[in-house]
Amino acid sequence: MKKQILALSLLLAVSLACNTTPVLNRETTPIDTGINADEWALVPAGKFYYGLHSKDSVIDYDYEMMVTHVTNHQYVTFLKEALSEGKLEIKSDSVYGFFPGEPFHGFRHEDEINAGLYLCMPLNVPGNHISYHNNEFTIDPGFENHPVVMVSWFGAWWYAKFYGYRLPNEAEWTKAARGTDERAYPWGDEIDDKVVNYTHSTKSLRPVLGTEVVRTTPVGLYNGKKYKELQTRDNSSPYGIYDMAGNAWQWVADDYPRLHYKYMRGGSFSNYAHFVTNWARNSAHPEYCSFNLGFRCIRDVKAPTNNLVESDDSLTGEDLNR
Amino acid sequence: MNRLKMNRLNYFFTSTKGLILVAIVIVSVTAAIFGMLSGPMAEWGVRDVVVKWLRMDLKPTERAGRIIMLYHTIAMAVIAIEVYMITSIVPMKRHQQTNINTLVTFGYMITMVFGLGFAYWGHNKAFHGMFLVGLSLMFFAGVMLAIVLNPWSKEYRITDKAYAHTKKGIDLERMAFFTMVVMTLISAGFGAYTGSFWGSGQEAFLAEDIIREADKTVFEKSIIGHLHIMLALIAVAITLVIGRWFDFKGIYHKLAMWLMIPGSIVLGAGSLSVVWTDAAHIFVYVGAVLTMLAALFLVIFGWRKLIKDRLAEQNLKKAGFFKSVAALLHDPLKFGPLWQMVFMNFTVSGVGIFLAVKLDDIFRVWPLREERITLTGHWHILSALIATIIIMYYADISGLKGKTRQWFGWILIIGSDVAFASMTIFSMKRLMVVETAQQQLVDTTMILADFGLGIVLVMMFLFLLWRFFDLFKDNGLWRKETINQELDVKKTTGYIPAFSKEGDSMKGGEK
């Protein structure tokens, strides 16, 4: 019996010792996907289906959404401009920005979000491909056109505010991703590693990125082009918006009523298929930062009259927040 | 002998041991097939093969509903196993046992066949209707069981001072079984009420997905209460069954039964009171403490008994610490169920209490997905622990002996505990490592979990294979179990000969 226990223990020890997976990649193969991260796509007013249960919903105004996530390059440009204008400040290797606060209801589990400085982005930390040394920002080689990550909701909010954009609410995000039908993913109902960067894509992406560890991919990578052995399929939504599923979660404007946890949409490289659907949600405290969490913005084509038109068979705003 | 109709079908569907075997096989096959649809199985391509081979129809929008149906079908089979055990070990009349077992058998089989058919092979509404018929049969079987278990019945009063009872002779263990069944029925009512509103999978949701919603509806709260208490009551039921297997008696029995009865009521009512009050958690804590104390007394009693019995076998009147530990560990199939109850405190109860205490400080700072992993891990582990306890009891019933018993028992204990501990560490990983440095921990815990569950499944497969080949023997175990069909336990209340049928008086078959 002792021998048997010893053999089992050895087997466990070997399995532990064999595990030498590197943790992070600081360099990757530069890839030109041909997708311009500065472009915007028009999302026209109209009906759409919201959520898992495909509730009939309507948005009564046109708006434009970024064709891709905000990239590291775009965010560094923003940081330089915002810092030079004194809108943001750097303290203890982190970027902070002022936020006017949100109403406090004293609700159970509710955190107070008062007016004050809030973390926008921690610098020089593992997972962030943007570094800051000697008053200079640098981006890890090859990551210029990857989604910016390790950015808090306040960091996303500041980016949008600085350029006159805004974060999409969940309804706007859903319509942009889903179009007018009930598809599960922005491109349709089938999913595999040829169309999205999710948890099962590691193997196919390794030779493309030239790294053992696979995290984010260049924005718009899955557009039908072939990269080495990987023949991708176009993953754009019906409005031509890329990566609305996978790659990196996206902060959106809404939060839980009275709780201030901000929603995220779209899923990331670390998620299974059910988390990259058009209705899957994640959420976190607005100061939360992660190496799988970024954002994109929308801008108004004309001033919105109302977020949603309420009709007999349409959802109310409250319904959509649920 | 001819009257016994010694054929396999008779064994499968009329003997307690055969009924349990059939249910275990069905649960195992279901878990094996549907377990291939998620997690790493998708990455390895197994999922696609299974879906294609079995022509499943898996729409992404229907995933939540599918999972809910799968949980319900497996739960019904597990409940059926527990009912078979209860009707065998708690005194009742033969026809009552037959009626309840028949209803439960039809109930869980209809639930499984049509529930899974509806969920995974197209949404045939007739199948959903039959699924509800199956659940209804299970409910009515529960009503019958509650009536039969009536602890105030004069037929089942006891006088033996070794077992917990009131001055009037009311058997408190029977009362504990009765309470558990009644609370289960009430909880089933909560589930049915909500299910009737959201029927046919139109508005399915997974509780872990709405955990952070500040304003949950009455229906959502009903479901949350329902799922928590159902699993807790399944755990209470198996604890009571194991107690009878160990011939739980004496002072610990008395303490345990006085705790288990109010514990089940408070825990059950507390879980369901989440519909009306935020103070539900306080009731749940109180009820959980009472039931867990009752289980602790069973563990103390059981371990002392194991040590005492083994030392007696060895003709040792006194033994030191190491001899006592060796005696305790001598029989893994008897040590295991009680150990799993202890282990549960580290992987389920401890985690749950920590989660509740540190919710705002820790878990709500994490993203929802991390909190979700902790929640789902918490109850998956509890379910699996209950399953291992049932398997160990059944392996003992099957008469595993010698080295086979040792290997089977220890691999089951070590394999499952390595897996459950790994999954607990995985679910709480953010306490130990930052996200960017988690990969090694994630990979290691995943390997260990896969390894642990893998060897458990292999052992289970071999065990069932043995039982399968036994069916081809004319004088196999199945024949002995047809004759000696009831679980061999000492009942708290006596054998009532007046109600036994002619020919039923074979060993262990009294009713």
Side-chain angles (χ1 to χ4, degrees):
Chain A
M1 193 59 173
K2 279 179 188 170
K3 282 181 186 171
Q4 291 148 6
I5 292 172
L6 190 67
L8 270 178
S9 308
L10 272 174
L11 191 62
L12 292 179
V14 168
S15 70
L16 283 168
C18 288
N19 197 325
T20 55
T21 313
V23 173
L24 283 171
N25 48 341
R26 302 297 310 219
E27 194 172 337
T28 190
T29 307
I31 296 170
D32 179 12
T33 63
I35 303 299
N36 184 357
D38 291 322
E39 281 190 2
W40 294 73
L42 177 71
V43 182
K47 289 187 173 182
F48 69 106
Y49 295 101
Y50 183 84
L52 171 61
H53 303 299
S54 293
K55 304 284 185 187
D56 287 337
S57 308
V58 180
I59 291 179
D60 71 336
Y61 52 86
D62 298 340
Y63 57 96
E64 288 183 328
M65 178 176 265
M66 287 180 158
V67 167
T68 71
H69 289 75
V70 171
T71 63
N72 284 311
H73 175 75
Q74 288 173 320
Y75 204 77
V76 164
T77 304
F78 153 70
L79 286 176
K80 286 176 183 169
E81 291 175 12
L83 285 163
S84 69
E85 290 184 26
K87 303 287 186 187
L88 301 177
E89 57 183 273
I90 295 182
K91 293 194 301 182
S92 314
D93 263 2
S94 292
V95 181
Y96 285 87
F98 178 81
F99 184 72
E102 291 177 346
F104 181 67
H105 313 86
F107 195 72
R108 198 168 170 227
H109 304 306
E110 183 181 9
D111 255 358
E112 286 192 58
I113 307 288
N114 296 319
L117 284 179
Y118 285 92
L119 175 70
C120 292
M121 172 180 274
L123 299 164
N124 308 327
V125 294
N128 193 349
H129 296 292
I130 298 173
S131 308
Y132 183 71
H133 297 288
N134 303 321
N135 296 327
E136 282 293 325
F137 288 100
T138 51
I139 300 171
D140 289 340
F143 283 95
E144 291 82 0
N145 63 346
H146 283 231
V148 63
V149 290
M150 296 300 287
V151 56
S152 73
W153 185 86
F154 296 114
W157 181 84
W158 253 109
Y159 181 94
K161 178 182 165 65
F162 187 78
Y163 291 118
Y165 314 144
R166 61 190 175 86
L167 294 176
N169 61 38
E170 288 197 292
E172 291 162 338
W173 188 95
T174 302
K175 187 170 195 310
R178 202 174 204 179
T180 54
D181 58 29
E182 297 183 59
R183 63 186 62 195
Y185 308 105
W187 58 88
D189 286 320
E190 302 298 325
I191 186 168
D192 59 46
D193 62 351
K194 307 288 187 296
V195 76
V196 60
N197 178 8
Y198 71 140
T199 194
H200 299 317
S201 305
T202 303
K203 196 175 167 185
S204 61
L205 284 171
R206 271 184 190 139
V208 176
L209 298 176
T211 55
E212 182 65 19
V213 174
V214 172
R215 304 291 188 215
T216 56
T217 42
V219 295
L221 182 81
Y222 296 90
N223 59 13
K225 279 176 73 172
K226 189 173 184 180
Y227 309 91
K228 294 189 175 172
E229 296 303 310
L230 176 63
Q231 174 60 61
T232 64
R233 295 205 311 278
D234 192 302
N235 79 1
S236 62
S237 78
Y239 304 115
I241 303 169
Y242 287 90
D243 294 345
M244 288 296 271
N247 210 1
W249 285 98
Q250 300 161 50
W251 285 115
V252 293
D254 316 45
D255 53 14
Y256 288 90
R258 304 192 298 281
L259 284 182
H260 313 295
Y261 306 131
K262 305 297 180 187
Y263 290 125
M264 310 163 198
R265 290 302 200 107
S268 78
F269 59 79
S270 62
N271 294 120
Y272 287 116
H274 56 272
F275 267 112
V276 301
T277 53
N278 286 325
W279 55 83
R281 254 183 188 171
N282 201 354
S283 68
H285 188 278
E287 276 196 305
Y288 176 76
C289 299
S290 169
F291 67 162
N292 62 22
L293 173 56
F295 70 100
R296 72 176 81 205
C297 302
I298 65 168
R299 63 187 181 191
D300 299 318
V301 175
K302 60 178 182 180
T305 52
N306 193 356
N307 267 4
L308 296 159
V309 170
E310 294 175 20
S311 62
D312 288 343
D313 57 352
S314 296
L315 284 173
T316 63
E318 192 178 333
D319 287 334
L320 289 183
N321 273 332
R322 290 195 51 76
Chain B
M1 188 62 81
N2 287 338
R3 284 203 318 107
L4 285 173
K5 295 180 185 171
M6 298 296 285
N7 61 54
R8 278 82 171 168
L9 215 56
N10 197 45
Y11 162 67
F12 286 145
F13 294 106
T14 63
S15 73
T16 294
K17 290 172 184 173
L19 286 166
I20 294 174
L21 177 61
V22 170
I24 286 178
V25 169
I26 289 177
V27 173
S28 301
V29 171
T30 306
I33 292 173
F34 293 92
M36 287 191 277
L37 300 180
S38 59
M41 292 295 179
E43 195 165 6
W44 298 338
V46 177
R47 180 182 194 272
D48 291 339
V49 173
V50 172
V51 169
K52 201 173 176 181
W53 181 51
L54 294 176
R55 298 180 183 182
M56 289 178 176
D57 178 15
L58 308 183
K59 293 185 179 65
T61 44
E62 292 162 0
R63 179 176 178 273
R66 277 198 303 273
I67 289 176
I68 291 165
M69 301 287 270
L70 181 62
Y71 292 161
H72 275 83
T73 55
I74 292 177
M76 289 311 118
V78 172
I79 288 170
I81 292 169
E82 293 194 333
V83 168
Y84 299 144
M85 290 176 171
I86 293 168
T87 58
S88 182
I89 65 178
V90 180
M92 62 184 66
K93 292 160 195 166
R94 168 70 75 190
H95 74 271
Q96 292 172 331
Q97 181 193 28
T98 305
N99 291 344
I100 293 167
N101 286 354
T102 304
L103 212 49
V104 156
T105 305
F106 277 107
Y108 91 84
M109 286 188 171
I110 289 171
T111 303
M112 291 196 93
V113 170
F114 292 101
L116 294 174
F118 175 80
Y120 289 85
W121 283 276
H123 277 14
N124 185 327
K125 296 283 180 190
F127 279 24
H128 192 272
M130 289 304 290
F131 168 72
L132 295 180
V133 168
L135 291 177
S136 304
L137 290 176
M138 294 293 287
F139 184 84
F140 289 124
V143 172
M144 284 169 64
L145 184 60
I147 293 167
V148 166
L149 288 176
N150 174 15
W152 293 278
S153 168
K154 289 187 178 172
E155 293 168 49
Y156 302 109
R157 299 285 170 103
I158 61 172
T159 52
D160 190 337
K161 288 185 178 173
Y163 300 101
H165 60 83
T166 64
K167 282 181 183 172
K168 289 185 176 176
I170 294 172
D171 180 354
L172 290 180
E173 190 169 285
R174 192 180 188 90
M175 175 83 86
F177 275 114
F178 171 79
T179 309
M180 178 273 298
V181 172
V182 170
M183 293 313 298
T184 303
L185 291 170
I186 294 171
S187 176
F190 270 69
Y193 168 66
T194 312
S196 62
F197 177 75
W198 274 326
S200 304
Q202 292 163 25
E203 291 276 348
F205 73 94
L206 297 176
E208 56 266 27
D209 285 336
I210 61 161
I211 190 69
R212 290 186 176 182
E213 299 289 352
D215 302 307
K216 296 181 186 71
T217 65
V218 168
F219 295 114
E220 288 167 343
K221 288 177 178 176
S222 296
I223 291 299
I224 290 167
H226 167 77
L227 66 92
H228 274 86
I229 191 55
M230 277 305 196
L231 197 53
L233 289 169
I234 287 174
V236 167
I238 197 64
T239 305
L240 291 169
V241 168
I242 296 297
R244 198 71 332 268
W245 179 31
F246 274 79
D247 190 19
F248 192 18
K249 60 185 176 185
I251 182 67
Y252 289 119
H253 186 255
K254 288 165 190 166
L255 289 170
M257 291 310 126
W258 278 116
L259 290 168
M260 192 64 103
I261 295 162
S264 300
I265 295 169
V266 175
L267 184 59
S271 297
L272 299 173
S273 73
V274 75
V275 175
W276 300 283
T277 172
D278 286 343
H281 284 93
I282 296 169
F283 296 120
V284 170
Y285 296 150
V286 172
V289 166
L290 296 176
T291 51
M292 283 162 65
L293 274 176
L296 175 67
F297 289 133
L298 168 63
V299 171
I300 294 170
F301 170 85
W303 281 3
R304 285 164 63 113
K305 180 180 164 73
L306 286 178
I307 294 169
K308 196 176 151 191
D309 290 353
R310 177 61 184 162
L311 293 180
E313 272 176 32
Q314 294 172 310
N315 290 321
L316 291 173
K317 287 185 180 172
K318 280 190 176 180
F321 175 75
F322 291 105
K323 284 263 183 196
S324 299
V325 171
L328 175 66
L329 303 179
H330 171 69
D331 182 355
L333 289 188
K334 286 220 157 175
F335 166 77
L338 301 176
W339 163 251
Q340 298 293 66
M341 290 180 196
V342 175
F343 189 72
M344 184 201 71
N345 289 287
F346 303 114
T347 53
V348 181
S349 315
V351 172
I353 292 166
F354 185 70
L355 183 79
V357 172
K358 291 288 183 185
L359 187 67
D360 291 334
D361 296 338
I362 297 177
F363 294 92
R364 287 291 160 90
V365 179
W366 297 352
L368 169 65
R369 220 181 81 78
E370 297 289 346
E371 188 180 0
R372 192 180 184 280
I373 289 170
T374 309
L375 294 168
T376 49
H378 171 78
W379 66 265
H380 271 86
I381 292 171
L382 178 56
S383 311
L385 276 169
I386 293 169
T388 60
I389 293 172
I390 290 173
I391 292 166
M392 280 188 260
Y393 185 21
Y394 186 71
D396 180 75
I397 291 167
S398 294
L400 278 188
K401 286 188 175 62
K403 283 197 171 177
T404 314
R405 186 182 178 96
Q406 291 286 331
W407 274 102
F408 183 84
W410 283 116
I411 287 178
L412 199 58
I413 295 169
I414 294 170
S416 62
D417 288 0
V418 164
F420 302 151
S422 301
M423 292 319 296
T424 303
I425 293 169
F426 172 78
S427 72
M428 308 287 275
K429 59 185 177 296
R430 200 59 70 243
L431 291 174
M432 291 158 254
V433 290
V434 293
E435 194 175 31
T436 47
Q438 73 177 20
Q439 200 56 46
Q440 185 139 352
L441 182 74
V442 168
D443 291 347
T444 305
T445 50
M446 283 297 177
I447 286 172
L448 289 174
D450 289 346
F451 166 77
L453 289 178
I455 57 171
V456 166
L457 291 175
V458 167
M459 288 310 292
M460 197 59 202
F461 175 72
L462 293 175
F463 175 70
L464 291 178
L465 208 60
W466 169 59
R467 292 304 314 245
F468 177 72
F469 283 115
D470 176 75
L471 294 172
F472 294 98
K473 294 178 187 168
D474 276 346
N475 199 26
L477 201 55
W478 67 272
R479 183 178 289 271
K480 290 171 194 155
E481 290 183 352
T482 309
I483 298 166
N484 182 13
Q485 62 174 270
E486 300 301 339
L487 305 185
D488 191 13
V489 296
K490 191 170 178 186
K491 297 171 174 59
T492 46
T493 38
Y495 160 48
I496 314 291
F499 298 104
S500 67
K501 291 195 300 188
E502 187 189 347
D504 282 349
S505 56
M506 65 280 281
K507 188 188 170 195
E510 68 275 306
K511 267 288 153 184

